[in-house]
Amino acid sequence: AACGYVPFPQLIEAKIAQAAEQSESGRALRDGVNFLLAGDSEQATKAFSRAVKLDPENAQLHLLNALSYHLGYSRGVHTNRDLAETGYLVALRMDPNNVVAAEMLGQLYLDSGRFGDARRWIGKSLLLGESDARVYHSFAVASYYAQDLPLALWAITQAEGLDEKSSLVLRAGAMIRAAAGQFESADELRQRYDAIEPDAGLRRSLAQRVSQWRTALTAISSGDFILVRYAPSDQNSRVASMLLSTSRMSPSVRVNVC
């Protein structure tokens, strides 16, 4: 996934390892994943069937099954996306407070472009206690694409407080602040990004995208933005939301944060 804080297959493998120790069925499913990664689909199917027979009502099993499909999706098996989604939703129906299922369902939606749904589920994982920079970064990206800049700014600020040296956090922070018209802060973050990012192409693309936002926000009339104020009404304590109007915005301006 382009927006992953760590390489996405490795993230899913880590989640599988974290969850697989919870039950015998989990260990069977982990065996299936190992067979799948080794290219032995026949043995993988046998292991998955054994896991389901051992504990069909176990939410953790459905989570692991979803993670295995998500891993396949992240490696290019696009038909696995719906199977992963179903597994996460079943796990959450059985255990609504399953923080890993909430986070990874949000990551799945982020990876497949369902940004409002991604924001909802990654946000739920934060409310359930997830608190590392990777998750806040993903929440910031989802909020940006869902056109909620105040929430994106809040989330990327949390990520920066937890991991101020991450190149992905710096890159997203520069883009989000540029989109919000905070160009001095965006330029400072871009300079810090340039100091640690070895890829000249990535450095150049970030500079171009910040410049695009600067040009766009200077040129676009105030009527292209809608400012809506909210009273605090939920646990996010959101007090304002500026939605970027895309109806008259050139596609070249609708730039990525990843």
Side-chain angles (χ1 to χ4, degrees), residues 9-101:
Q10 286 90 319
L11 169 62
I12 300 173
E13 288 166 1
K15 295 295 183 181
I16 290 171
Q18 175 185 339
E21 299 300 331
Q22 301 301 313
S23 66
E24 180 62 33
S25 58
R27 285 188 287 275
L29 184 58
R30 184 183 56 185
D31 290 342
V33 171
N34 289 335
F35 283 127
L36 189 62
L37 293 174
D40 191 338
S41 59
E42 181 178 355
Q43 291 300 317
T45 299
K46 291 179 180 178
F48 293 146
S49 297
R50 183 169 71 252
V52 170
K53 290 178 180 178
L54 282 168
D55 200 354
E57 301 301 320
N58 189 326
Q60 201 76 350
L61 169 59
H62 290 282
L63 168 61
L64 285 162
N65 200 23
L67 285 165
S68 70
Y69 284 121
H70 197 164
L71 181 60
Y73 175 66
S74 75
R75 294 182 182 275
V77 185
H78 298 296
T79 55
N80 280 2
R81 197 210 71 86
D82 290 348
L83 295 169
E85 179 185 21
T86 298
Y88 289 135
L89 290 172
V90 170
L92 286 161
R93 185 168 66 245
M94 293 180 172
D95 179 8
N97 294 323
N98 192 311
V99 63
V100 175

Side-chain angles (χ1 to χ4, degrees), residues 160 163-167 169-170 185-197 206:
E160 290 163 351
D163 190 358
E164 64 179 4
K165 296 182 179 180
S166 161
S167 62
V169 169
L170 289 170
S185 179
D187 287 338
E188 188 268 333
L189 290 169
R190 182 182 59 77
Q191 290 168 8
R192 288 169 56 193
Y193 175 81
D194 286 351
I196 64 172
E197 175 52 61
L206 178 60

